[in-house]
Amino acid sequence: MSDYGVTTRDQDFSQWYLDVIQKAELADYSPVRGCMVIRPNGYAIWEKVQAALDRMIKETGHRNAYFPLFIPESFLKKEAEHVEGFAPECAVVTHGGGAALEEPLMVRPTSETIMYHMYAKWIKSYRDLPLLLNQWANVVRWEMRTRLFLRTTEFLWQEGHTAHATAEEAEEETVKMLRVYESFAQDHMAVPVYIGKKTDAEKFKGAVRTYCIEAMMQDGKALQSGTSHNLGQNFSRPFEVRYQDQNQQWQYCWQTSWGVSTRLLGALIMAHSDDNGLVIPPRLAPTEVVVVPIWRSDEQKSAVMAYVNEIRGLLDGRFRLHIDDRDNFKPGWKYSEWELKGLPVRLEVGPKDLEKRGAMVVRRDNRQKESISIDGLVDGIRRVLDQMQADLFQKAFDFRTSRTRFLDSYEEFQSHMQADPGFVWAHWCGSAECEATVSEQTKATIRIVPFDESDGLETPGAPAPQAGKCILCGKNSPRHVLWAKSY
Ligand SMILES: [Zn+2]
């Protein structure tokens, strides 16, 4: 247990995670099993995530819309793999208004089917393409084992759904959105991610190909943080999403879907936080700077508060700012509270700072202190925030490097996954049987198959393709794939 009442990461990582969420007041359990209440501190971070991503989604040409929560049961059954994948997780509404419904309604687990039913109505000609829509919504998947933010029965997300005239355009879109997620994770969340392909076993049910971003948490486990699917014509055929081409011929559309969810908050917590609580990367911090005034007497208080107001005037509008002038708490108590809640920068302002016309600037992540004069305060805080954002990424990147290995022996692979899980680059022959056996025996799964030349893009940080022998069966393997235990 740390001084802050948080279970340490070394003691029990999963209890640490829950302690951080509870102490930072991010979320709570609901009376409905498996569902989560997102508290204001957690929701404010989600709103920052939404704002940044929404801008990126719109900058790439998409528009937002909203589709119904309920989906007729028959819709889900139109795509064979899709229904097989999702039906067991669906909540089904059988009654409404006191009477049994003629057709049961599924609470959306994802919205491909209801959206494409509408797309079929709206798309008539090649002139209507591409259709590029996104929706911010909640979805429900009946989960047996839940964990706050990472896996909950109801969660919040965005789902983008597009329709295109050609297979090439759909592939381009799938990659484009994967890259959007990659840069959001790295530039905003300060979480390094590997991009790559999912194996058939791990791909979205109904997709031709699934691409994803995969991050490492501080316990060495992987967290799939976003996915982008090339759906080919798997949905456009059963839903008759068609267009007339320039020669008045009817053609089926090529489609994509892509999403990220409140799971990202789980990634943010597990990638950066420490035994003193939450650490929020500055770019996603609802409040960047908290000012804590320090006084011992009423006389000091009025002088310090006048000075704090001067500082407020300087910082207001430039930073997301909070002045903690509560009378009934001591400064030390406030420091620990704001550390637990993860605010990136704390300004301590007392009589000595007033005398020197400065302020003590304290960084949350490494607790570095620096006295900065009031003239240099705006630039100084900006510099500290930028440095913290960059350092968090670098620290997570270095951690990932330190917990990534190349392994050729299955025995070593097994003991490694048991003792000290991390990312492992190992050879795989490509067979679903080998993949299934390894995951059964070690609980590790293939997180990504790196992109190669035939995909027209690469996986930054992945080893160059190199032939070898499958870690399980010893047959030929064209390249290493990334294995890890995952959330
Ligand atoms: Zn094999």
Side-chain angles (χ1 to χ4, degrees), residues 395-410:
K395 193 177 165 198
F397 187 90
D398 293 343
F399 178 79
R400 187 181 75 177
T401 306
S402 75
R403 294 288 291 263
T404 302
R405 299 182 63 180
F406 284 82
L407 292 176
D408 289 323
S409 132
Y410 188 53

Side-chain angles (χ1 to χ4, degrees), residues 10 12 55 66 96 116 170 209 232 250 256 282 348 368 380 418 432 448 470:
D10 284 347
D12 181 347
R55 194 176 56 243
Y66 187 78
Y116 305 161
R209 279 188 295 283
W250 283 101
T256 82
E348 304 173 1
Q368 246 168 37
Q418 183 129 39
I448 58 153
C470 175

Side-chain angles (χ1 to χ4, degrees), residues 21 25-31 35-40 148-149 152:
I21 290 173
E25 298 173 357
L26 300 177
D28 209 341
Y29 299 98
S30 86
C35 291
M36 163 178 67
V37 177
I38 306 177
R39 302 182 67 180
L148 294 175
F149 291 118
T152 48

Side-chain angles (χ1 to χ4, degrees), residues 54-55 104 125 269 312 314 390:
D54 195 61
R55 194 176 56 243
S125 143
I269 297 163
R312 185 211 301 262
L314 209 57

Side-chain angles (χ1 to χ4, degrees), residues 352-378:
K352 279 183 193 153
D353 305 288
L354 167 58
E355 218 169 88
K356 285 192 293 185
R357 301 274 304 155
M360 189 60 81
V361 178
V362 188
R363 234 173 91 164
R364 166 63 184 88
D365 59 329
N366 59 10
R367 291 168 148 185
Q368 246 168 37
K369 287 185 168 202
E370 184 181 349
S371 179
I372 300 181
S373 80
I374 191 160
D375 306 326
L377 203 52
V378 170

